Amino acid sequence: MRELLGGKGANLAEMNLIGVPVPPGFTITTEVCNEYYIHGKDKVTETIIDEVRDAMHRVEAAVGGAKFADNDNPLLVSVRSGARASMPGMMDTILNLGLNDHAVEVIAKKSGNPRFAWDSYRRFVQMYGDVVLGLKPENKEAKDPFEEIIDEIKKEKRVALDTELSADDLKELVTRFKTVVREKTGNDFPTDPWQQLWGAVMAVFDSWMNDRAILYRKLNKIPQEWGTAVNVQAMVFGNMGEKSATGVAFTRDAATGENIFNGEYLINAQGEDVVAGIRTPQQITLEGSRRWAKLQDISEEKRKAEAPSLEETMPEAYNDLMELQQKLEDHYRDMQDLEFTIQDGKLWMLQTRNAKRTGAAAVRVAMEMLNQGILKEDEAVLRVEPEKIDELLHPVFDLEDLHKVTVVTKGLPASPGAASGQIVFFAEDAELRHKEDSETQLILVRIETSPEDLRGMNVAQGILTARGGMTSHAAVVARGMGKCCVSGANGLNIDYKQRIMTVNGKQYREGEWISLNGSTGEVYEGKVKTKPAEPGDDFKKLMELAGRYAHLQVRANADTPEDAATARRFGAEGIGLCRTEHMFFKEDKIIPMREMILAETTEDRRKALDKLLPLQQKDFEEIFAVMHDLPVIVRLLDPPLHEFLPHNDRGQEEMSQVMNVPVRIIRHKVESLHETNPMLGHRGCRLANTYPEITEMQTRAVLQAVLTLKKKGINSIPEIMVPLTGILYEMKFQEEIIRTTAEKVFLEMGDRIEYKIGSMIEVPRAALTADRIAESAEFFSFGTNDLTQLTYGYSRDDISKFLPIYLDKGILKTDPFQVLDRKGVGQLISMAALKGRTVRPLLKVGICGEHGGEPSSVEFCHTVGLNYVSCSPYRVPVARLAAAQAAIKSKK
Amino acid sequence: MRELLGGKGANLAEMNLIGVPVPPGFTITTEVCNEYYIHGKDKVTETIIDEVRDAMHRVEAAVGGAKFADNDNPLLVSVRSGARASMPGMMDTILNLGLNDHAVEVIAKKSGNPRFAWDSYRRFVQMYGDVVLGLKPENKEAKDPFEEIIDEIKKEKRVALDTELSADDLKELVTRFKTVVREKTGNDFPTDPWQQLWGAVMAVFDSWMNDRAILYRKLNKIPQEWGTAVNVQAMVFGNMGEKSATGVAFTRDAATGENIFNGEYLINAQGEDVVAGIRTPQQITLEGSRRWAKLQDISEEKRKAEAPSLEETMPEAYNDLMELQQKLEDHYRDMQDLEFTIQDGKLWMLQTRNAKRTGAAAVRVAMEMLNQGILKEDEAVLRVEPEKIDELLHPVFDLEDLHKVTVVTKGLPASPGAASGQIVFFAEDAELRHKEDSETQLILVRIETSPEDLRGMNVAQGILTARGGMTSHAAVVARGMGKCCVSGANGLNIDYKQRIMTVNGKQYREGEWISLNGSTGEVYEGKVKTKPAEPGDDFKKLMELAGRYAHLQVRANADTPEDAATARRFGAEGIGLCRTEHMFFKEDKIIPMREMILAETTEDRRKALDKLLPLQQKDFEEIFAVMHDLPVIVRLLDPPLHEFLPHNDRGQEEMSQVMNVPVRIIRHKVESLHETNPMLGHRGCRLANTYPEITEMQTRAVLQAVLTLKKKGINSIPEIMVPLTGILYEMKFQEEIIRTTAEKVFLEMGDRIEYKIGSMIEVPRAALTADRIAESAEFFSFGTNDLTQLTYGYSRDDISKFLPIYLDKGILKTDPFQVLDRKGVGQLISMAALKGRTVRPLLKVGICGEHGGEPSSVEFCHTVGLNYVSCSPYRVPVARLAAAQAAIKSKK
């Protein structure tokens, strides 16, 4: 019935239907809205006026006693808009409709709380004045006339807060409000509740066509013909005396998922008071209350006297609530978050919805509901938001401690987790500090990171950068390491010389403590306690189920044996991307690597490569050993060579000394390797086709490692990947080198093994000509980071300059580096998979960009028939769950 | 008959058929080659041996006298391979086959020239040894054994050149050659001419399957089954005495196209001698000879004595030649380039082919042949290579002067023409020098140029850069200005501080003269005379014809009234790209532009823009006035803002003083605008969507200019283009701003005009989602430079690092920034045009990148149904001709 009643109306109706006591009300359907736009206000009013009166009578009957527009016992109502989909920009809510100078006195008397009555009245006049009578200024910066009056009175009364105003002050407010209404509209504020109601209904209809709502519909492709419904509902009050109360409750524990009903309430209070924190709310259950007292170190006597449970204070209402919460959870088959009000001893449910919960709670609830027989297997798998289980795999802040901290600034939540440490600005210093004391906790703070910083990043607890987006170097590497990272914190000003970072005028020196929340992007001052990750049995069970349902294979991006081990532990079914360049930054390899770069002849280059060969072979042996019996995609050297040379004077002088090469030569090489747009430069197979001997060496290293392990009885499945191909012949030339080298190795070692050669599809041209590339490539791996960069023409290092504005204006719905862009990048991917398979029907196709661990992107990969996704080890569980859900959904 | 006879064999046969005396010969067909690969040598020899003997007898009969393998009067032959398409990597030619120790003596006697006889013999042994007997080393760096022997003998005889060796020395050479053959092959060099012949034929067949030929076929998709033919032809000698001669001739003047037969010959000489320049060749016609003597200041007597014409020395052979040249031109219906030999008074044609010619000659020949009725209109249009007519529009070097120069280094031929001038390293200095003396000739030498150098480039005669490709800033701007430019001269080392450029160790200081050949990329030392461009009437006639046949509209990329005027003069049918950013570099605009960039609030930005508005409006008025009644596409601001700020200390300090802003603020702004990959950064409509007020100002400037001109009775057709769109909403937001601003302007000025809003398609995503973009865009203009950059993932500023290697290895056939890549970029273009037109059937689609002036790219645009191409003004004639040819070809 959502089409007719809108979302809100339908929900209320559903609760009502299953016998949950909701405040009585009725819904004016979306059809009426459309009539309004065709025939106008008068005609529509005429058509429905009798039906509305009848409906109101039914509401009065249900409430029992109070009557709308009745001077002695006035029924107050709320009026809310309610479209099929929730829509910001439309009129939201008008409460307490039906109040006037007479009614307010009656309510004051009945509630015994004149301040409450007058406060409700002045709120109503303000809301109605703003929204229905149109007094709210369109320009956001202009002041609301009602707020101006409140400021006036506060000044006169010399008080700071609204809450300090007395009932008489509020009465005065209402008078002045009504004056301003008269002045601005030329009419008196309507005192007739029916006039108020029709005004509010029409205001809801009008709000369907205001600019913001139209824009929102445009952006979200919501047809204008849907229209909005109007919900009219009797007001109920939890603040009508000692037999009234209000509260919120969860059918299970939202933090842990434990199956225990819990919640808080306040006697003689309104909904907002519970969250506002002015009075301390009390626990609903006796058990909860006792637990709470124990934590607070409060005696049972004191607890009973000052903070008794609802179970104790209003046992009847409590029993009703217990019954209802079970009913609602059973009905919705999910943990519920309830809002209720007890008016004069009678329980009303104001709202129920699926409860927000932590990742741990989500997993536990789903698995317990599966055990309880409430959910079937596939339903249980669908029940956990994949993104959420990430929380189970990373350290988190101690919630208690977190309440005390000061947020210094905010960046992008680049890699989840929690970290506290002392500020350090240089990767080398971090290494040094770590060598001196391996227990030191450090936060590496950089403008941006580069591959030179790798080892420093590895010993730090967390990384904070001033520039760069969600897929900047820092972010990608940190996620790979499972290390907390906040990137692109624009507010940061870093002075490397002085070793000071400045935020909002405040300075933080090297050695001072800060903390990072990698899941929110927040940076805190000082030290905050963290808790380690603890996945547990429910998690294992869920992953097992996911494995059974998923069609997509999930691999990991891993460059070290440690990463590979983590990946395997998390259930990775292979390595989808083993970058070989990170290996070259290790101390024993950077020197021959640099020799190779400085070489002026093929011979000299070969000499340097000969030194690298045994070192790289050893790297591969270690990784293949961990990944035995699972496929490993090794990507040939990808980054531009200048990344392996130091760019500052100090580094160049050091290199000059270590290598015994004049610093002039090094500088000249760095200059000659300089590129205006390094992202579009001499890298990937462009390097390998310039210096084929690099591919020869790397092929040797891979295959010699595999054959060496084979002798020890360890089975490896190597897949060699050529990066950045865009032209068939780039691939063919590489294939030729690899195959020729392989045959030599097989001959030399007297044994041979199976291996595959594939292409990394990351430039649009590769996707467009995939039917050609597939002539040579046995598998495709989409590098979705670069493919996104090139398809949009965005540099992920620079995107922070306009991405926030694009997201804000709705030009982009999501960051395309986080959520795969289906229309553009996705089109290339599905086109390439299709074209590739026309030539090679069994072509294996997967993605290995950052998107491989993002649920919506994983779903897309499933939809277009890819074979696997590959993501950082810590994202493997997320990807597996997302893959399972995609498979289950597409089956349905 | 090409399939059977191969290219060469078919040509020879054709000449023979029309009665041209070619040295008699026969062709062994491609079928035999295939038989060879199926059945092997022996079987094939057996099959054709009788036929070959018969054919040889017919050759003997035709020659009259000499007989193959006859000791007394030996017939010598040449053996050549000849596939359907010319194929490097295959065996080319063996001359003088049939020689042995006996025959050489006969020839020596008959020719009266023992040295010639022995030289022919030693050449034959070497060629046969290398190619047929396989003594040529496969490794290119290894030395040919025959060359080693030549070096030996030269040392012994203490001479430097082969030509200094006597007949006896050559005799000795042959002996030693034969010894090495015996040593290396174990057999004596074959003395039996028949054995020699069969060896050569099989060697041709074998060369069809050598590695280089296989690779070439692979790259060029030539099927292996085509096979190669073998041409056996009698040798004729122009050096058999005073009644023999050899020469080359043109049926018309290859430099000017004048319809006058001309050429050179040498008595008693071989083909190579004419070109080798050891003896001065004589003119063929009497008229030519007299003209030549006049130029050389030689008296008629001396001419007659020392260098008489063929017309005088051998009038009969001359008459035969005159007749033949006319016959051949008539037959091939094009100007011919002939090679002939006169042996003992008898004329033999060795080769005829369509003559290479200058652009001017091409145009004149085509138009005159049209007037003569030899060619029809469409044939005449097809006859001129579009690329060639570029020569008519730019100054060229005086050919006489050019022979004397030294080539210093070579870069890319970035913008055609010729220029001489004094070296200047800074644009500002160039401006100063030009102010002091507007006649000064300058060459601006830079590592690379940036928009700041514009004015300096404008006053220089030519531009030379050390970095950057064919579409670097320098190249694009220079072509736009029609100014000579050599870019990416990697050999250049520029020291700005010392004001010295170093090439190959030699230094050139500021003020020294150099010259640039923009059509070849050569850089010369010193001053070289240039001649201005002179298109002439034939050119006009050709352009008129082109205009009648072309379907594609040709527009120009022009940013100034001067460019626009040039474009219009060359027949541009509108402006396809008016970049607005270049305007901002003018003195009066750079300051408010910088104010805008430094502005921290929208208000301040608006203030600066208000200052720019009247200035920019004036620019547009001037351009629209020139382009009255033709459409002008104005592109909104495109480059990243940092391009408008000075990047060096000096510039920043100057700016600080001029604008009265602390240098610290300027530096901070420059830093904050810094981007890792500026090509992928904050530019195009990303800027305009960040600062919509820029679009407002530019829209105002365009439309106010149009309405102002309208009052003066001048009609403009403005088309506003949004650059770098990739997302529908980027376009929609801009469209909204433009339309709203337009309505305001129309209201203010009390008048309205028609205008279009379009999208520049330059990021792949725009092409992929063109059906969406077309919802908002009324026209598409493909920015093929950027589209190529992003489709390949190449930065045109950095591509010189690997492009030469890719071209060399055949990974790329052509530079995709010069010739549009049809498979990748072209696929996106045709996809986008198709998708766009499904939504908006009358969508106007064109390209405005550098490809718009490149013939093969223009042809592609015609093929996929675009509406127009736009190129720099000086390329407009090229594009128009290419468009006409594409239309004519597709009709056929």
Side-chain angles (χ1 to χ4, degrees), chain B residues 248-273:
Chain B
V248 294
F250 294 88
T251 58
R252 304 188 181 213
D253 189 309
T256 65
E258 195 184 352
N259 188 2
I260 188 167
F261 180 61
N262 66 99
E264 296 176 328
Y265 79 107
L266 276 175
I267 290 177
N268 196 10
Q270 274 206 309
E272 302 128 31
D273 301 341

Side-chain angles (χ1 to χ4, degrees), chain B residues 98-302:
Chain B
L99 275 175
N100 51 32
D101 291 352
H102 186 84
V104 71
E105 296 290 1
V106 178
I107 301 278
K109 220 184 204 168
K110 276 192 72 164
S111 69
N113 190 344
R115 197 190 174 284
F116 151 70
W118 284 101
D119 194 45
S120 300
Y121 193 20
R122 71 102 182 166
R123 282 178 200 272
F124 167 59
V125 177
Q126 179 171 358
M127 267 192 265
Y128 198 92
D130 274 344
V131 177
V132 180
L133 304 178
L135 264 61
K136 193 182 195 79
E138 267 186 51
N139 181 346
K140 274 187 186 175
E141 284 159 40
K143 193 122 199 203
D144 181 303
F146 300 108
E147 293 294 337
E148 271 177 17
I149 295 171
I150 296 176
D151 286 349
E152 253 173 51
I153 292 221
K154 284 200 293 193
K155 249 190 219 154
E156 288 167 24
K157 304 289 167 189
R158 301 184 187 206
V159 300
L161 299 172
D162 297 7
T163 48
E164 296 172 77
L165 295 173
S166 70
D168 283 343
D169 297 341
L170 295 168
K171 206 168 172 178
E172 171 63 19
L173 256 190
V174 170
T175 311
R176 295 201 197 170
F177 277 5
K178 290 204 269 185
T179 311
V180 81
V181 165
R182 197 178 315 113
E183 278 169 9
K184 298 247 171 184
T185 67
N187 294 314
D188 283 329
F189 187 86
T191 54
D192 172 15
W194 282 107
Q195 194 189 340
Q196 291 172 357
L197 182 67
W198 287 110
V201 170
M202 299 307 157
V204 171
F205 289 156
D206 285 335
S207 73
W208 178 251
M209 292 298 275
N210 74 26
D211 291 348
R212 272 164 65 210
I214 290 172
L215 178 66
Y216 184 86
R217 282 202 293 278
K218 225 179 187 177
L219 291 177
N220 293 277
K221 300 218 163 176
I222 296 177
Q224 191 170 298
E225 308 81 58
W226 280 10
T228 179
V230 185
N231 299 300
V232 180
Q233 212 176 358
M235 294 289 303
V236 289
F237 298 98
N239 51 352
M240 277 213 169
E242 291 306 308
K243 289 180 72 185
S244 297
T246 187
V248 294
F250 294 88
T251 58
R252 304 188 181 213
D253 189 309
T256 65
E258 195 184 352
N259 188 2
I260 188 167
F261 180 61
N262 66 99
E264 296 176 328
Y265 79 107
L266 276 175
I267 290 177
N268 196 10
Q270 274 206 309
E272 302 128 31
D273 301 341
V274 183
V275 261
I278 300 169
R279 284 159 59 195
T280 307
Q282 296 157 229
Q283 293 296 308
I284 290 175
T285 64
L286 177 57
E287 191 190 338
S289 185
R290 288 195 170 135
R291 225 195 269 182
W292 168 83
K294 206 173 161 192
L295 270 172
Q296 303 284 319
D297 215 8
I298 288 170
S299 72
E300 175 67 6
E301 266 172 29
K302 195 171 176 201

Side-chain angles (χ1 to χ4, degrees), chain A residues 155-288:
Chain A
K155 249 189 219 160
E156 288 167 23
K157 303 290 166 186
R158 304 183 183 205
V159 298
L161 299 172
D162 297 8
T163 47
E164 294 173 78
L165 294 174
S166 68
D168 283 342
D169 297 340
L170 294 168
K171 205 167 171 177
E172 172 61 22
L173 256 189
V174 170
T175 309
R176 295 201 198 171
F177 278 6
K178 289 205 268 184
T179 309
V180 82
V181 165
R182 197 178 317 118
E183 278 168 10
K184 298 248 172 181
T185 68
N187 295 312
D188 282 329
F189 187 87
T191 54
D192 173 15
W194 280 108
Q195 193 189 341
Q196 291 172 358
L197 180 67
W198 286 111
V201 170
M202 298 308 155
V204 171
F205 288 156
D206 285 335
S207 72
W208 177 251
M209 291 297 275
N210 74 26
D211 291 348
R212 274 163 66 207
I214 289 172
L215 178 66
Y216 184 87
R217 281 201 296 275
K218 226 178 184 175
L219 293 176
N220 292 277
K221 299 217 164 177
I222 297 177
Q224 190 169 300
E225 309 79 62
W226 278 11
T228 181
V230 185
N231 298 298
V232 180
Q233 210 178 359
M235 294 290 301
V236 289
F237 298 99
N239 52 354
M240 277 212 168
E242 290 305 308
K243 291 181 71 186
S244 297
T246 189
V248 295
F250 294 88
T251 58
R252 302 188 183 215
D253 189 310
T256 65
E258 192 182 355
N259 188 0
I260 189 169
F261 179 61
N262 66 99
E264 296 177 328
Y265 79 106
L266 276 174
I267 289 178
N268 197 9
Q270 274 207 308
E272 302 128 29
D273 301 340
V274 182
V275 261
I278 301 170
R279 284 157 62 192
T280 308
Q282 296 158 228
Q283 294 296 308
I284 289 175
T285 64
L286 180 56
E287 192 190 337

Side-chain angles (χ1 to χ4, degrees), chain B residues 478-502:
Chain B
R479 281 199 289 279
M481 291 176 170
K483 196 171 290 278
C484 170
C485 173
V486 172
S487 71
N490 287 319
L492 235 60
N493 204 314
I494 296 172
D495 184 339
Y496 284 135
K497 265 192 202 153
Q498 305 278 330
R499 303 198 172 211
I500 286 174
M501 78 173 201
T502 312

Side-chain angles (χ1 to χ4, degrees), chain B residues 487-550:
Chain B
S487 71
N490 287 319
L492 235 60
N493 204 314
I494 296 172
D495 184 339
Y496 284 135
K497 265 192 202 153
Q498 305 278 330
R499 303 198 172 211
I500 286 174
M501 78 173 201
T502 312
V503 194
N504 291 323
K506 186 157 182 199
Q507 296 191 334
Y508 298 83
R509 296 180 174 276
E510 191 154 81
E512 288 188 48
W513 283 79
I514 55 172
S515 302
L516 306 181
N517 189 335
S519 310
T520 64
E522 284 171 325
V523 181
Y524 312 121
E525 205 171 85
K527 200 169 172 173
V528 186
K529 241 189 278 170
T530 59
K531 288 193 302 187
E534 355 171 283
D537 285 342
D538 285 328
F539 174 77
K540 263 184 217 149
K541 177 86 188 284
L542 176 66
M543 283 297 107
E544 240 175 71
L545 283 177
R548 268 201 272 132
Y549 281 92

Side-chain angles (χ1 to χ4, degrees), chain A residues 218 672 674 676-677 679-680 686 689 730 765 768 791-793 795 798 801 806 809 821 827 835, chain B residues 672 674 676-680 686 689 729-730 765 768 791-793 795 798 801 806 809 821 827 835:
Chain A
K218 226 178 184 175
S672 80
H674 169 83
T676 311
N677 296 293
M679 163 64 211
L680 308 174
R686 298 167 198 173
N689 278 318
E730 278 181 319
R765 194 177 188 280
L768 290 165
T791 304
Y792 275 93
S795 159
D798 305 313
K801 298 237 165 64
Y806 269 34
K809 290 198 175 178
D821 159 49
Q827 186 184 149
K835 284 190 174 187
Chain B
S672 80
H674 170 82
T676 311
N677 296 292
M679 162 63 211
L680 309 173
R686 298 168 198 171
N689 278 318
Y729 287 102
E730 278 181 318
R765 195 177 189 280
L768 290 164
T791 304
Y792 274 93
S795 159
D798 304 313
K801 299 237 163 66
Y806 268 34
K809 291 198 176 180
D821 158 50
Q827 186 183 150
K835 283 190 173 187

